[in-house]
Amino acid sequence: MTGSDTKALGQRVKELRRAAGMSQSDLATAMARSESWVSQVERGVQPVERLSILQALADALKVSVRELRPDAAPIEETEPEGISQNNDLDGLRVALTGHPALGSLFDQAPTGAIPTLADFRRLVSEAWTLAHASSYGALSDHLSRLLPSIEAAVRHAPASDRAELHALRAKAYQVAAASFTRQDQADAAWVAADRALQAAELAGQPLEVVASLFRMAHAFMRQQHMEQAEQAAKSAVAVMEPRAEAPACPPEELSLLGAMNLVLAVINAREGNRGGTHDHIDRARAIAARLGEDRNDFDTEFGPTNVEIHAVSTAVELGDAGLALDVAQQVDAAGLSPERQSRFLLDVARAHAQRRHVGEATAALLESEALAPEQIHDHHLAREVIRDLVQLSEPRVPESLRGLAERSAVS
């Protein structure tokens, strides 16, 4: 599909969805997809190249394929060769299905050359780069090749290489888990996090096990399984807190303990527990003060700045917009990743929206969009706040807000 074809299909999907009286969430449920996927289709970001997916889309909208796309006949059943232009993780979901290296159990030799340890280190690093850039289509292709390769390698490598290969395998699955969570595919995130945890244990890397539990907790939170998320986080904290009392506790270990306290703060905030929320924020603050700097151990970006960003986010969850805005004024997030800065600005916008500050909320969203467009266009919280702002400002919706709503495919 060309860019113009993709945009035309997206506009047609939006028209038919509205005519059917469906929200993006309704269509996502009918398609067994995420709401962000529907948003991407309607914005012309996500091509629909497979006939089977086009048929499922037409069925969900209760129209014919020809009515949805008159030129549907030439669509191929298979993806074109090379890197997919899609921005979803479908290929990676397929790669996670079944046993990761079944042939190895039957003494089948790997097909093709096995990458070296140096190659695997580079490939895992590239996977995290793609994830931070929200390049999910490219990431899906990348990990769909990397994971089977490293699964085969670890079963045929010399004993001296296996520990590091298991550690790299854990990191690769952690990338997958984090990305699935961001794409609202928490079921697949749980599978990836569980495999990361097992690989980390085989590597003899207990901190990587905790990092895998961190990913698992986020997957459970996205599924609204708060008890399971809390269990994952608390089990790690229970083991790590006594160790953190030692003056020589490694900073990497402190970072993970702090990150787990932030997970527990978010869980408590979503359950409306102010005391528990502030307790875990305070614990994380104390740990961050011991570190004395922003770090990125295990891709958690834990440090003093991230603690205050979570203080803003949890205050918003609790409806304490005034506190959130007061804390936000003291935060300088410039040293964090664009994705993390963008999420911070989204929470600032949510706080302003709670105060009915349409102009300030819109400005924060536009700044967030400039840093990480997909964060605003696809995140369910972003679309919710945009909808709220549009409703608050009707019938005189500011042009900047109207444009943002269009770019985010907000109904």
Side-chain angles (χ1 to χ4, degrees), residues 264-287:
L264 289 168
V266 172
I267 292 169
N268 276 272
R270 292 184 181 176
E271 293 180 339
N273 183 346
R274 279 180 167 75
T277 300
H278 296 314
D279 177 53
H280 286 292
I281 289 290
D282 287 343
R283 293 186 194 184
R285 276 198 181 108
I287 295 168

Side-chain angles (χ1 to χ4, degrees), residues 163-194:
E164 184 174 358
L165 281 170
H166 279 305
L168 289 168
R169 186 165 65 102
K171 292 178 187 292
Y173 277 117
Q174 286 179 35
V175 182
S179 301
F180 277 126
T181 298
R182 293 169 191 168
Q183 285 284 76
D184 291 326
Q185 299 184 46
D187 57 338
W190 186 93
V191 173
D194 189 56

